[in-house]
Amino acid sequence: MISSAGPQFVFAARLEDLRAAAGGCLTVRVGGHTLALFQHGNTIYAVDNRCPHMGFPLDRGTVKDGILTCHWHHARFDLASGGTFDLWADDARVYPTETRDGAIWVDIAPPANPRQHARDRLRDGLERDLPLVIAKSVIALLEGEGGDPVDPFCIGLEFGTTYRQAGWGQGLTILTCLMDILPYLNHDDRPRALYHGLAAVARDTAGRPPRFPVRPLPSLHADIATLRRWFRQLVEVRDAEGAERCLASAIRAGASGRQVADMLFAAATDHRYLTTGHVLDFTNKAFEALDIAGWEYAEPILTSLIPAYASAER
């Protein structure tokens, strides 16, 4: 990762000490960082000595053909960039180096945009159902003054509504429930709650085909009352695509939250206890999610409910 600030080169070690070190690796403490220095070919590399997976010291690993292997769980890293070949491990941080008059200097400037890296890692964890990656990403996104739980919550919403063909399900319901109670939890318990919600989304989408949303009608000439009437008729005959197109059209036409809620709850109560009440519960939770995330998420979130409406037991 490239630093957002200017370079901050500091002395790390004498080149002769690295060459004399066993295994061609020397561990040094520089500016509060513990680094593993490696010489591979004619190039000097500096790597954060903690394996990003679970903290095993990388100076106890081995380098072969430019690949550094951690021997605890055998995570492998490109020595030059720190990029891992095993996405459950995360990329290792590497530090730029310079050799000056027989001395090794290392740039310890902080990396650029660590929060974006945590967001990217959260998506990796959701895509591959990796609980440890999800947990570490949530902690990174919530720590410090800029930590906002809405950020990872919205990432979970986007992922859950995109990568589950059956639409809104148990995972997104659990995520929203835990997000609802987050303000009432002790500060130290909030990352755990958010982690469990996001992990539920990952489990609920694992191995499932993605959902391809239906576009609104090409011309939004129908008024909201007409779209509401069509929507209920299409749900009644189990036409999921037609019902979704009506709902997406109403949202694009500027229907208010109250009008859209009226459309959905009217159809959800045309029959008692659709799928033993799950349809009504999911709809409730979807609107609670929008209260947190914002109405700009209305179309992907609310249209994800439609498969359950059309296939519900009556």
Side-chain angles (χ1 to χ4, degrees), residues 158 161-167 209-217 240-249 252 297-307:
E158 291 171 355
T161 55
T162 301
Y163 293 104
R164 189 173 188 271
Q165 189 179 59
R211 191 177 78 88
F212 298 101
V214 176
R215 290 187 296 275
L217 293 167
E241 290 185 345
E244 182 174 340
R245 196 161 211 197
C246 277
L247 181 58
S249 299
R252 291 281 184 97
Y297 289 92
E299 192 171 325
I301 288 176
L302 296 179
T303 58
S304 76
L305 295 164
I306 302 309

Side-chain angles (χ1 to χ4, degrees), residues 115 119 122 137-157 175-176 178-187 189-195 197-198 289 292-293 297:
R115 290 194 185 280
R119 293 184 192 101
L122 176 54
S137 301
V138 168
I139 291 170
L141 287 169
L142 294 191
E143 66 184 1
E145 293 183 4
D148 183 359
V150 175
D151 186 10
F153 175 68
C154 289
I155 291 173
L157 285 179
L175 174 62
T176 304
L178 290 170
M179 191 67 181
D180 283 340
I181 67 170
L182 212 67
Y184 306 100
L185 298 176
N186 292 329
H187 185 269
D189 290 330
R190 292 175 185 177
R192 181 183 300 178
L194 193 51
Y195 153 74
L198 290 163
I292 299 167
Y297 289 92

Side-chain angles (χ1 to χ4, degrees), residues 16 46 51 56 61 66 68-70 125 189 191 229 243 258 294 300 314:
E16 60 186 283
C51 177
F56 193 74
L68 169 61
T69 301
C70 173
D189 290 330
R229 186 173 65 253
R258 184 180 294 273
R314 299 174 179 176

Side-chain angles (χ1 to χ4, degrees), residues 1-312:
M1 290 180 281
I2 299 173
S3 169
S4 58
Q8 299 177 22
F9 279 96
V10 297
F11 172 79
R14 303 296 304 175
L15 184 57
E16 60 186 283
D17 293 333
L18 173 58
R19 288 173 173 168
C25 176
L26 180 67
T27 305
V28 297
R29 184 77 175 167
V30 176
H33 307 276
T34 302
L35 310 182
L37 303 179
F38 295 90
Q39 180 168 9
H40 183 65
N42 295 319
T43 306
I44 308 299
Y45 299 97
V47 183
D48 190 309
N49 198 39
R50 297 169 301 171
C51 177
H53 179 222
M54 295 186 74
F56 193 74
L58 289 176
D59 62 347
R60 295 173 63 180
T62 54
V63 175
K64 182 178 181 181
D65 194 24
I67 295 177
L68 169 61
T69 301
C70 173
H71 289 302
W72 194 1
H73 298 100
H74 303 288
R76 299 157 300 166
F77 307 91
D78 167 27
L79 186 60
S81 69
T84 185
F85 297 100
D86 304 287
L87 291 183
W88 42 263
D90 201 356
D91 296 339
R93 184 179 173 189
V94 297
Y95 297 75
T97 64
E98 290 183 0
T99 303
R100 307 172 187 170
D101 300 323
I104 301 169
W105 292 72
V106 178
D107 179 8
I108 61 169
N113 205 347
R115 290 194 185 280
Q116 184 57 50
H117 178 71
R119 293 184 192 101
D120 293 340
R121 286 300 287 159
L122 176 54
R123 292 185 180 94
D124 288 339
L126 291 168
E127 288 171 2
R128 291 163 176 80
D129 191 12
L130 298 170
L132 180 60
V133 173
I134 294 171
K136 291 197 293 185
S137 301
V138 168
I139 291 170
L141 287 169
L142 294 191
E143 66 184 1
E145 293 183 4
D148 183 359
V150 175
D151 186 10
F153 175 68
C154 289
I155 291 173
L157 285 179
E158 291 171 355
F159 189 88
T161 55
T162 301
Y163 293 104
R164 189 173 188 271
Q165 189 179 59
W168 187 284
Q170 175 179 278
L172 287 169
T173 297
I174 293 172
L175 174 62
T176 304
C177 286
L178 290 170
M179 191 67 181
D180 283 340
I181 67 170
L182 212 67
Y184 306 100
L185 298 176
N186 292 329
H187 185 269
D188 291 344
D189 290 330
R190 292 175 185 177
R192 181 183 300 178
L194 193 51
Y195 153 74
H196 280 296
L198 290 163
V201 172
R203 287 193 304 271
D204 208 21
T205 55
R208 305 289 181 92
R211 191 177 78 88
F212 298 101
V214 176
R215 290 187 296 275
L217 293 167
S219 174
L220 300 177
H221 64 280
D223 58 28
I224 304 302
T226 301
L227 290 169
R228 177 184 184 274
R229 186 173 65 253
W230 289 349
F231 177 76
R232 292 176 69 182
Q233 292 171 2
L234 291 162
V235 169
E236 182 66 25
V237 298
R238 300 186 181 279
D239 183 348
E241 290 185 345
E244 182 174 340
R245 196 161 211 197
C246 277
L247 181 58
S249 299
I251 295 169
R252 291 281 184 97
S256 67
R258 184 180 294 273
Q259 288 173 313
V260 175
D262 178 56
M263 286 180 69
L264 286 162
F265 284 113
T269 54
D270 277 339
H271 295 270
R272 276 190 189 179
Y273 305 118
L274 288 179
T275 314
T276 64
H278 289 318
V279 172
L280 200 60
D281 182 44
F282 286 176
T283 304
N284 223 17
K285 283 292 173 284
F287 277 100
E288 289 175 15
L290 287 174
D291 287 341
I292 299 167
W295 188 250
E296 63 267 27
Y297 289 92
E299 192 171 325
I301 288 176
L302 296 179
T303 58
S304 76
L305 295 164
I306 302 309
Y309 274 70
S311 63

